[in-house]
Amino acid sequence: MAKEPKHHQLESKRKRLTWILGVSGLCILFYILGAWRIQLLPLGCDVGSPAAGDGQSSSSSLSSASLDFESHHQVEINNSGGTQSFPPCDMSYSEYTPCQDPVRARKFDRNMLKYRERHCPTKDELLLCLIPAPPKYKNPFKWPQSREYAWYDNIPHKELSIEKAVQNWIQVEGDRFRFPGGGTMFPRGADAYIDDINELIPLTGGTIRTAIDTGCGVASWGAYLLKRDILAMSFAPRDTHEAQVQFALERGVPAMIGVLASQRMPYPARAFDMAHCSRCLIPWNAYDGLFLLEVDRVLRPGGYWILSGPPIRWKKYWRGWERTQEDLKQEQDAIEDVATRLCWKKVIEKGDLAIWQKPINHIRCVESRKLIKTPHICKSDNPDTAWYRDMETCITPLPDVRDSEEVAGGALEKWPKRAFSVPPRISSGSLPGITAQNFQEDNELWKDRVGHYKQIINGLHQGRYRNVMDMNAYLGGFAAALLKYHVWVMNVLPANSNQDTLGVIYERGFIGTYHDWCEAFSTYPRTYDLIHASNVFSIYQDRCDITHILLEIDRILRPEGTAIFRDTVEVLVKIQSITDGMRWNSQIMDHESGPFNPEKILVAVKSYWTGEANPKPH
């Protein structure tokens, strides 16, 4: 048989190779073009508003182009029905806090301040309207200017400036409030007061990073700790002093509505390096020391408790406090007794300050139970459980240690190294399925994602955002990736999560809370600039109506604030159909890894609008 000539063989091979290369090249070209088309779309639909605190408009924008999935993906998700428009609520709801509503609170038991705890509306009481901003609402001042100033029209309450005038909490200056940094027990200002504390315990150096301020006032203590790299959770009830927590958040300082009453604070055990009470009016010696037992639960081993105000230094102040010397001495003796039974060590009492320290482990505390019978060490389940969980009159146990010099639960690195070191809860293996490698991979993942967010939303690096919330924080990777920006993050762990990782977030030096998103969050309206929701609606779509979750996001998001949703296409399409009726501007965008990832991103901006000065009745 005759063989095919060599030049014909070469020609045949050349044609096949050319065909293969051509097809491959076309595939690569179309993939690149598809990804490039999405990545280069700028965010571009301006939303007008009055000038921000620095005199510049802080409008966000979205691209006019968007991805259309409507005809290809249909799914049933628990919501109120088809696309609907939501009307404004009456102006009387401008500062509505659904689960801390003073009107509803009157129906509940006043014993132990139970009426000030969370009492949420029933399903039939939920509002299907948008909470209005005050008529002359302006974008808040940027940080750090916001620490000293807030617009009067945003929180039109002069009560504190009158009631606390002598104590220098807050002053009205024309169209704005000024916060001189004063407080009941720090007339020289919060900065000088913190310097006094620093002379007694080490606030600098990175050992102390997280703090809780019970009965925080307008949160000046937390505001001035920030420049020392200490992040404080300011915590106060919605009470007769109008809008304390609202003022704190308007200043750009972390805060929540809350009260020490009958239930645990919504934080894990061993969360805070320091706890503080400056004339917070909490009866620390009452109910067998129940409130100090709760402080002990949330304090880290070796953490400090600081008390100023009654009864400390009662010999000097008893006349001004309008109490007898005997009464004040008895109260201080009772507090000292509870602290001793908690195995705390009194570090110092100097001037107006008294400071105690929690032991680093419970070896000696367990031995002392032979002499001190109460309170006993709790035998109950997980001490981190804190969502609608009653307090207990027993000492929360610390993890076991081998010797008296070992820190229970593991020692922490100093800040800022602490943020990226493997947290003890992970390195000890106490969280099944989460390893040091998972932790490092999560950090890298969120570093890439936040880098992408910087490209698709305006102002992240320009100070536009200050108060940030992560609705499903997991290990705190999102907050860690934002460290180089002038923001703080409220890391929320859904109360029904399969794994309780909020303790990890605190071990990293961040703050957060447990929450069930089928209910309203413990904050005032318009208190967050940026809200991040990664796979939140996939978690809740079978548990409650997602329309109400989105209305809650609208309540707590500032006008012109931004929300970022990450989820499946089906869920995002449904979210967008609801936010369209909430006056939001939104766009579904591809995942940062490209168009072939099934997860997508919805970026939405709440439009600027306000209520009427004289609203008409509905």
Side-chain angles (χ1 to χ4, degrees), residues 13-87:
K13 288 180 180 178
R14 191 179 295 115
K15 287 180 178 178
R16 284 197 299 271
L17 182 60
T18 301
W19 183 82
I20 291 169
L21 289 174
V23 171
S24 300
L26 284 171
C27 289
I28 292 169
L29 177 63
F30 284 124
Y31 175 81
I32 292 171
L33 283 173
W36 176 79
R37 178 179 176 273
I38 298 304
Q39 297 296 332
L40 292 188
L41 283 176
L43 292 171
C45 102
D46 292 335
V47 182
S49 78
D54 62 354
Q56 298 176 348
S57 171
S58 59
S59 61
S60 280
S61 48
L62 295 177
S63 171
S64 58
S66 62
L67 306 181
D68 178 18
F69 300 103
E70 193 66 39
S71 60
H72 307 291
H73 299 272
Q74 300 296 329
V75 67
E76 288 299 322
I77 297 178
N78 188 7
N79 77 304
S80 297
T83 302
Q84 63 181 114
S85 294
F86 299 95

Side-chain angles (χ1 to χ4, degrees), residues 208-456:
I208 296 174
R209 164 63 181 171
T210 57
I212 183 167
D213 188 13
T214 51
C216 64
V218 294
S220 289
W221 189 71
Y224 284 89
L225 279 174
L226 285 166
K227 69 180 186 180
R228 295 163 172 84
D229 273 341
I230 296 175
L231 191 59
M233 176 73 80
S234 297
F235 191 76
R238 176 163 186 161
D239 60 8
T240 53
H241 296 160
E242 288 286 350
Q244 292 181 79
V245 167
Q246 191 176 14
F247 276 120
L249 288 157
E250 190 74 7
R251 299 175 71 183
V253 180
M256 281 181 66
I257 300 173
V259 63
L260 271 171
S262 68
Q263 296 176 341
R264 287 178 173 178
M265 294 183 285
Y267 314 120
R270 313 193 316 274
F272 299 100
D273 304 313
M274 176 169 63
H276 174 257
C277 162
S278 174
R279 201 171 186 183
C280 62
L281 306 180
I282 295 171
W284 295 112
N285 58 314
Y287 310 111
D288 296 322
L290 186 67
F291 302 139
L292 274 180
L293 285 161
E294 176 62 2
V295 171
D296 180 78
R297 183 185 72 85
V298 300
L299 264 186
R300 279 199 55 73
Y304 297 96
W305 183 56
I306 302 168
L307 177 63
S308 65
I312 304 304
R313 213 178 182 187
W314 55 267
K315 291 180 181 178
K316 177 180 178 180
Y317 294 118
W318 66 276
R319 287 188 180 89
W321 290 340
E322 297 180 351
R323 291 174 61 183
T324 65
Q325 296 184 66
E326 293 77 12
D327 179 38
L328 286 162
K329 181 180 184 305
Q330 184 180 23
E331 182 182 345
Q332 178 153 356
D333 288 346
I335 289 173
E336 303 271 12
D337 178 61
V338 174
T340 299
R341 291 187 285 119
L342 282 170
C343 308
W344 291 3
K345 170 189 173 184
K346 190 168 187 180
V347 177
I348 194 167
E349 182 174 333
K350 184 178 179 181
D352 295 341
L353 292 162
I355 303 176
W356 287 263
Q357 186 174 24
K358 179 177 175 175
I360 62 172
N361 59 57
H362 273 168
I363 287 182
R364 291 194 178 94
C365 194
V366 170
E367 293 172 354
S368 73
R369 296 303 95 185
K370 297 173 185 176
L371 299 173
I372 305 172
K373 300 298 182 184
T374 58
H376 63 279
I377 294 177
C378 303
K379 304 295 183 185
S380 58
D381 55 359
N382 188 354
D384 288 349
T385 305
W387 185 245
Y388 291 125
R389 175 68 179 268
D390 287 343
M391 295 183 200
E392 298 179 76
T393 53
C394 54
I395 299 172
T396 301
L398 291 173
D400 293 334
V401 295
R402 289 173 294 233
D403 62 71
S404 59
E405 301 301 315
E406 184 180 349
V407 178
L412 297 176
E413 297 281 359
K414 292 183 178 180
W415 182 264
K417 189 176 179 182
R418 176 174 169 178
F420 293 99
S421 300
V422 179
R425 276 173 162 90
I426 292 178
S427 59
S428 66
S430 63
L431 292 172
I434 301 179
T435 65
Q437 183 177 348
N438 298 144
F439 175 74
Q440 302 295 359
E441 289 171 350
D442 189 70
N443 285 335
E444 290 301 316
L445 176 72
W446 285 106
K447 180 180 177 182
D448 291 343
R449 288 179 171 180
V450 168
H452 182 60
Y453 293 161
K454 184 180 175 182
Q455 297 174 20
I456 64 175

Side-chain angles (χ1 to χ4, degrees), residues 81-103:
T83 302
Q84 63 181 114
S85 294
F86 299 95
C89 302
D90 188 86
M91 269 303 295
S92 61
Y93 287 98
S94 179
E95 294 179 356
Y96 184 48
T97 53
C99 296
Q100 283 95 2
D101 179 31
V103 176

